Every structure is written in C-alpha cells, then in structure tokens.
Amino acid sequence: MNKVRVGIAGLGRLGKLHAENIAFKIPNAELTAACSIAPEELEYATEHFGVTDVYTDFYEMLDKADIDVVAVVTTSGEHCWQIKAALDAGKHVFCDKPLGVTVNECKTAEAAVERHPELTFFLGFMRRYDPSYAYAKKKIQEGAIGKPYMVKAAGIDPEALVEGAVKFAATSGGIFIDMAIHDIDLMRWLLESDPVEVYAAGATFKHPEFREAGDDETGAAMYKCENGALGFVHVGRTAAHGYHVETEIIGTEGSLRISPVPEKNLCMIYDENGAVTECVSGFAERFAEAYLLEMKEFINCVQSGTKPDVTVYDGTKSTQIGFATTEAWKKGCTAKIQY
Ligand SMILES: NC(=O)c1ccc[n+]([C@@H]2O[C@H](COP(=O)([O-])OP(=O)(O)OC[C@H]3O[C@@H](n4cnc5c(N)ncnc54)[C@H](O)[C@@H]3O)[C@@H](O)[C@H]2O)c1
C-alpha cells in the first residue's frame, strides 16, 4: 500500500484538526474524501484541503469513495453505527473517543471489530500518545516509582469556555460522562487494573445553571481497583487560569506528576504581576502533538498490520465506568462496577 487514503466523517471542532494532520502532516496518508451532515463543513474540506470527493451520507461515502480507512469524528452518538458500517464495508477505522454513548452500542462496535480481525480499529484515547504521558508510562514500566497504587487525575476546563458547557449541560449525560472518560482511561492504563467500586459526588458554587440542568459544575470520584489500588478523579469547568489537565501517579518508591502547572510553553514573563507562566487554553493546544502522534500510529498500524495498544474493549470499559460513576453521583452512594 502506498499512501493510506482516508475518508473523514465529521469536520467540527476536532474533525478539522484531524483533517489538517492527515492532509498536511502525515507523509504516508492522504485525505481523499469527507462526509458531514453540515454542507459548510464539506465546503471547508474542499477549500482548505482540496477534497472534492464529499458526501452528506455516510453509507454513500463507504460505497463510492476510493478510501482505505475512515476517520470517525462525528457526534458521539453516531460513532458505533459508523464503526460497524465502515468495518463491514472493509475499511480500517479510527474513531475518536468516546467509543459510544451506551454500553449496548459499545458492544455492537466490539462485535464488528471481532468480525474483522484483518482490519485495524483504533480508538482515539490520545492522551496515551502525549509524550509526557507516554514517558510516565515508560518510567512506571521501568520500576521508577515501584508499584503504582494511586492515580490522582484532574481535568478542568477553562472558565473562559463555561458558556458552551452550560448550554449543553442538560444533554451532556452529566459531568462524569461528558468529562471524565480520558481520566478514567488513564487511571486504568497507568495502574494496570480495572476499578470495581466507585463513590462520586458533585458540587456547584459558581454557575447555578448547571444544577438547574440536572448537572454539576465540579465532580469528584474515588475508585477502588481490582488489585487494591486507588483512583481519584476531579473534573470541573471553571479553571480560572486555563485548561488544567494534571495527573499524579503514586507508587511504593516515588511518584510522578504530569503537568502540575499546565504551562503554555517555557517562556516566563517577568512584569508588574510577578513571574508569570501562561497556561494552555484548551485541549487542541495542550494535546496538539498527541493528536498528531495517535493518527500517525493508526496509519502505521494500517500499513504494517500491527494492532494498536488501545483496543475497542478499553472504549467499552471506560463507558461502563463512566455510567457507574454517574450512578454513584446521582444516588449519592457507592456503586459496583460490572464488566
Ligand atoms: N479526544 C479528545 O480530546 C476530544 C476532544 C473533543 C471532541 N472529541 C470527540 O470528537 C467527536 C467530535 O467532537 P467535536 O467537538 O468535533 O464535535 P462537533 O459537534 O464540533 O463536530 C461533530 C460534527 O459531526 C458531524 N456529524 C454529525 N452526525 C453526522 C453524521 N451522521 N454523518 C456525518 N457527519 C456527522 C456534524 O456536522 C458535526 O459538525 C465527539 O465524539 C467528541 O466527544 C474528542
């Protein structure tokens, strides 16, 4: 196979970013088709990436486009049927997280992946490809902190974006489904054990609109894993300083912290405010390199026939854990996590 020919579905916030990477930054891939229900996104694909093979219907793209793979970056509720349809049409699939919005949907995606062992399926848990997280994983595997027994993860969106979060609060599935999935995946990946029990609670102090919509502005969840390790996940929407994603892994012989200060870069500004480090503004900036590296890895897997480390089962499990966390938060109780 020469260049891997990619058809992308969904050119919203994240789809545009993936499309840019595929079109301009991955030498062994080319963006040859695009599909969106929004005509302006197809115009964008033509204008910015020169893609003229465009579709408003996903099945039509599968049927007519000359593509090897499909990148699914549509609204989360569309992922699982598109994964199934694309694999059944003989296409390799990259799908952004979450795998699906219900566990049943995730199971249909699992079945499709199992039906097609000859095809590559890649789930976009891009934090695993971020150089700092990948380095932390390597240090843990080398024994640098002994046996890891606790992960403390924080994922807090900037206050600057809170208006959008308020708007979608009523339909987001709640703060844990909406926000915690990456932290849940990291916890499982770094501790190498699945949580079996969770307690969760929420709080709202600044924007009562979240409560009115049945959601919370901040969520905290504590997990007990099968091997006895602990996880603590803090999600929120009101970081004053920017986009705060921080993870601490504590082991018997030491600990690791990834971005305790979510620095924009290494430039320190000395002025009347003191010595100031600016912070990243959102996921696209913080994880720009991770989005590129995960897509490169997917394309390489397609060409070499190797299986990615992240699997469809990681997608189902994170969704199951997200729902159990939501149940614990809503009922104010401890919930068992069933797989
Ligand atoms: N990995 C991450 O950090 C990360 C960050 C943001 C978003 N996401 C995920 O990426 C996905 C897209 O998020 P977004 O923020 O770009 O959303 P978005 O709403 O900006 O874009 C999604 C686009 O999908 C298109 N679409 C919807 N249904 C379709 C269909 N049936 N066929 C073709 N196109 C369709 C819509 O036109 C829409 O513009 C979501 O699942 C989201 O959870 C992941």
Side-chain angles (χ1 to χ4, degrees):
M1 197 187 291
N2 293 328
K3 285 192 175 198
V4 173
R5 294 159 302 179
V6 184
I8 193 165
L11 281 139
R13 280 186 316 169
L14 193 61
K16 288 190 179 76
L17 191 156
H18 282 310
E20 174 111 14
N21 285 340
I22 296 161
F24 303 130
K25 298 180 188 167
I26 305 182
N28 52 341
E30 58 185 327
L31 187 65
T32 55
C35 169
S36 174
I37 50 170
E40 65 277 12
E41 291 180 9
L42 298 178
E43 282 164 27
Y44 187 94
T46 305
E47 258 173 48
H48 288 78
F49 311 119
V51 174
T52 50
D53 192 17
V54 296
Y55 302 87
T56 49
D57 182 75
F58 187 75
Y59 287 110
E60 202 185 336
M61 178 168 83
L62 293 181
D63 196 33
K64 295 189 179 156
D66 192 14
I67 52 176
D68 307 300
V69 318
V70 176
V72 176
V73 204
T74 50
T75 318
S76 305
E78 310 290 310
H79 291 183
C80 286
W81 74 261
Q82 292 184 334
I83 291 168
K84 176 178 176 294
L87 289 169
D88 285 343
K91 313 294 178 194
H92 305 273
V93 174
F94 170 94
C95 180
D96 220 293
K97 68 86 215 165
L99 177 62
V101 292
T102 68
V103 174
N104 278 347
E105 265 183 30
C106 292
K107 295 282 180 192
T108 62
E110 276 185 9
V113 172
E114 284 165 4
R115 258 198 315 281
H116 297 287
E118 76 286 6
L119 296 171
T120 301
F121 174 75
F122 193 105
L123 184 64
F125 276 133
M126 83 299 177
R127 286 192 197 174
R128 295 190 186 201
Y129 294 86
D130 173 75
S132 301
Y133 281 99
Y135 187 72
K137 176 76 177 177
K138 183 168 160 275
K139 295 307 282 183
I140 293 170
Q141 285 170 333
E142 289 170 358
I145 60 165
K147 175 77 185 159
Y149 63 84
M150 192 190 301
V151 160
K152 293 199 260 176
I156 309 164
D157 277 349
E159 171 73 29
L161 300 180
V162 76
E163 224 173 87
V166 166
K167 202 163 131 205
F168 293 109
T171 54
S172 75
I175 189 158
F176 292 104
I177 297 284
D178 195 31
M179 296 196 66
I181 203 125
H182 284 297
D183 300 297
I184 288 169
D185 179 62
L186 285 179
M187 172 180 67
R188 295 182 56 243
W189 184 58
L190 295 165
L191 291 174
E192 292 184 357
S193 184
D194 287 330
V196 289
E197 203 173 286
V198 56
Y199 174 76
T204 298
F205 281 86
K206 196 164 182 187
H207 300 283
E209 304 93 300
F210 283 109
R211 268 283 158 82
E212 287 153 23
D215 200 3
D216 259 315
E217 173 183 276
T218 293
M222 191 172 157
Y223 299 89
K224 178 124 192 192
C225 295
E226 210 168 7
N227 71 353
L230 301 173
F232 180 79
V233 171
H234 165 196
V235 281
R237 310 179 191 274
T238 56
H241 54 291
Y243 175 65
H244 192 106
V245 170
E246 175 188 357
T247 309
E248 182 175 5
I249 308 112
I250 304 169
T252 51
E253 312 302 326
S255 62
L256 295 164
R257 285 181 82 167
I258 299 150
S259 42
V261 178
E263 294 152 328
K264 189 178 185 69
N265 52 40
L266 295 178
C267 177
M268 181 84 85
I269 302 166
Y270 299 85
D271 63 11
E272 71 276 10
N273 298 312
V276 177
T277 300
E278 289 181 312
C279 293
V280 287
S281 58
F283 63 83
E285 184 181 6
R286 167 64 183 86
F287 290 109
E289 201 177 351
Y291 291 119
L292 177 58
L293 291 172
E294 69 170 356
M295 195 59 80
K296 279 186 173 171
E297 174 69 7
F298 167 61
I299 297 294
N300 289 340
C301 284
V302 168
Q303 282 193 320
S304 64
T306 47
K307 292 287 172 200
D309 289 341
V310 56
T311 69
V312 69
Y313 307 106
D314 291 316
T316 306
K317 282 191 173 173
S318 56
T319 303
Q320 285 169 318
I321 298 164
F323 275 104
T325 310
T326 301
E327 182 195 337
W329 160 58
K330 286 198 169 152
K331 293 186 181 160
C333 65
T334 302
K336 297 275 180 217
I337 306 172
Q338 316 278 0
Y339 298 103

